[in-house]
Amino acid sequence: MVEIRADLSKRRADVSAMFDGVAQRYDLLNRMLTMGVDTNWRHEVVEALEPRAGERVLDLAAGTGASSAPIADRGAGVYCTDLSLGMLAEGHRRHPELTFVAGDALQLPWADDSFDAVTISFGLRNVEDTVGALREMRRVTRPGGRLLICEFSTPVNSGFRRLYETYLSTVFPIGRRFASNPAAYDYLAESIRAWPDQQGLADLIDEAGWRAPGWMNLSGGIVALHRAWAD
């Protein structure tokens, strides 16, 4: 079997092909590797986003729709957008009631001011140009609209941070044994280590033109929810 691998240059074709190869088992393996905590993280996303009936919400890197379905359950119109056609196909199979759209975070197929809110969970660090993607999200968000990013981050306690690094080095390789594309889990750990901390991401959000970026830590900072608003 050929291992399709993305590296930290995050070329779009490589990232898309890599996720195509893990689409069918992606959610299951994430649940295993996080010991089920990812379900709580996604619940916190919906609570922080506060979607309302009649709103238009863009869910970027929506993958199989695991993050989108709870938003739709609140009555919002959700547009599940992803670069990986394999993930979109799997998402449509699981959630035929949702709208899935192929789209590049750096060239979104939406007009200016199209959405009341934009959210992306565990996908921003896979984009080649972080600030460029954040600017595109700002472009398609109406004035007064909101941004919510859920992403791996940096544990705030130094002792816990060392334990987490050990976890990345020892537990994540287990994913190789079960994944159809084992190299994807090497990339996953590498991309988490290389990602900015909470303040670093807030600075990038500010640079992209969003107002008042801030964050809330989950699981001691393993994950952070970043929020900001469009002027």
Side-chain angles (χ1 to χ4, degrees), residues 2-200:
V2 176
E3 292 187 354
I4 301 171
R5 178 183 176 82
D7 59 31
L8 294 180
S9 65
K10 304 175 187 178
R11 288 184 293 269
R12 281 170 271 191
D14 294 341
V15 170
S16 177
M18 183 187 72
F19 280 100
D20 286 348
V22 299
Q24 291 187 349
R25 305 184 73 182
Y26 180 76
D27 292 330
L28 174 62
L29 286 172
N30 283 349
R31 195 126 311 139
M32 291 172 56
L33 291 170
T34 64
M35 294 173 284
V37 180
D38 66 311
T39 302
N40 296 332
W41 295 338
R42 294 190 187 280
H43 173 77
E44 293 292 342
V45 166
V46 178
E47 293 303 310
L49 185 65
E50 297 181 316
R52 294 181 285 274
E55 286 192 320
R56 287 168 54 95
V57 178
L58 173 59
D59 187 10
L60 270 177
T64 63
S67 58
S68 307
I71 298 172
D73 288 343
R74 297 288 183 96
V78 186
Y79 295 79
C80 316
T81 304
D82 203 291
L83 186 63
S84 165
L85 297 181
M87 294 287 273
L88 290 170
E90 182 65 17
H92 185 266
R93 185 185 70 81
R94 297 183 188 186
H95 299 284
E97 75 283 3
L98 297 178
T99 300
F100 288 88
V101 178
D104 184 342
L106 295 173
Q107 294 178 310
L108 292 172
W110 308 106
D112 296 358
D113 305 336
S114 292
F115 296 98
D116 298 290
V118 177
T119 184
I120 181 169
S121 294
F122 306 111
L124 185 58
R125 73 180 191 287
N126 299 319
V127 180
E128 286 178 83
D129 179 357
T130 302
V131 173
L134 289 166
R135 285 176 176 150
E136 268 291 272
M137 295 178 211
R138 172 63 190 85
R139 179 184 67 77
V140 301
T141 304
R142 66 166 180 80
R146 56 208 187 274
L147 169 72
L148 181 66
I149 299 167
C150 178
E151 189 53 89
F152 290 109
S153 198
T154 303
V156 294
N157 178 275
S158 59
F160 184 44
R161 193 157 56 243
R162 287 192 293 272
L163 287 174
Y164 181 55
E165 176 60 33
T166 300
Y167 172 83
L168 290 176
S169 301
T170 58
V171 177
F172 264 67
I174 294 173
R176 293 183 59 91
R177 302 179 186 178
F178 301 96
S180 56
N181 183 11
Y185 287 85
D186 293 335
Y187 164 80
L188 178 59
E190 292 167 7
S191 66
I192 291 171
R193 292 189 185 100
W195 188 244
D197 64 7
Q198 289 87 332
Q199 183 63 60

